[in-house]
Amino acid sequence: MTERDGIGRSSLAEEGAASWEAIADGWAERMRTDTDFSRKLVLDAPHLALLGDVAGKHVLDAGCGEGRFARMLADRGARVTAIDLSRRMIELGRESESADTPTIEFHEMNMCDLSAFGDESFDVVVAYLTIIDVEDYESAFAQISRVLRPGGQFLFSIVHPCFYPPGAEWEPRKPGTFPILDKDKRYLKVDNYFPARELRFRMWPTAPAETINFHRPLSDYARVCRQNGFLIREMAEPVPSDEVLARRDDLRAHLRAPYFLIFDCAKAAA
Ligand SMILES: C[S@@+](CC[C@H](N)C(=O)[O-])C[C@H]1O[C@@H](n2cnc3c(N)ncnc32)[C@H](O)[C@@H]1O
């Protein structure tokens, strides 16, 4: 357990929020160049496929970062409300929009407190690799369920907890080396899957602050979905396409142990 402040945020959640603030500019730079391969080469396509036609739908992007996916949804005709805990991320999101024709409503907001939105006000909620950043994920699920209309879609993606809990790493074929190419990876070492716990790491070697993620076993996600009326329709374990794999040998590891997991849920009718 961590200490909680007067508004219910733990010191760990505060630390996590501060770290996103610190890395926001560097993060945006990486998102807007070709540095972030996971999203472009692995995750965007299955997210978009599972969402289907979003034209005309009111979509909440919960934990939007600097807004890249919110923009992709707006480009496809969705009415997008995008929220993030980090003030700087929201500024970057707003700056990325045309001043004359802003199409996305950006708000600095914690997804654990969506009281600014009425009940059942969204058709779709997306949390693209963000639930792993939220310590109090139970409040986030409860709030997302409240603001989603019955029958609405909740799509969220996480780092696969079965294969990449904190400490998981590829055993190198050559002892003492760090395997990047697939041929240099012998097998994935996974241990201590069950205990929910934090993971601290630098998003990139020179990132100005550590990022904090929260690992929890798969059964925690199934439970919190059930408790909040979410029916899991599909669980996708996306892999890079053959065309991507022909260029990126390091991504072949996704075929041996999936790095990501996407939950496609529907909010049950009352
Ligand atoms: C890994 S980034 C993902 C951003 C975006 N979804 C994307 O895929 O580019 C995680 C984002 O979640 C935000 N975040 C973390 N905890 C949050 C919370 N409780 N409420 C809203 N946003 C949060 C962080 O500030 C950060 O911008």
Side-chain angles (χ1 to χ4, degrees), residues 126-159:
V126 182
Y128 191 140
L129 286 188
T130 57
I131 294 290
I132 47 175
D133 299 294
V134 181
E135 185 187 23
D136 184 8
Y137 70 113
E138 295 182 320
S139 293
F141 272 68
Q143 288 288 300
I144 289 167
S145 177
R146 184 185 64 74
V147 301
L148 190 61
R149 69 163 168 79
Q153 182 178 20
F154 177 32
L155 192 76
F156 69 96
S157 47
I158 57 175
V159 171

Side-chain angles (χ1 to χ4, degrees), residues 17 20 27 31 39 61-69 83-86 89 109-112 127-130 133-134 203:
W20 279 109
W27 171 267
M31 288 299 114
R39 285 172 176 75
D61 185 351
C64 62
E66 52 66 63
R68 69 180 292 280
F69 199 62
I83 64 159
D84 200 281
L85 194 56
S86 155
M89 289 286 194
M109 197 183 291
N110 188 342
M111 72 172 88
C112 301
Y128 191 140
L129 286 188
T130 57
D133 299 294
V134 181
M203 276 283 180

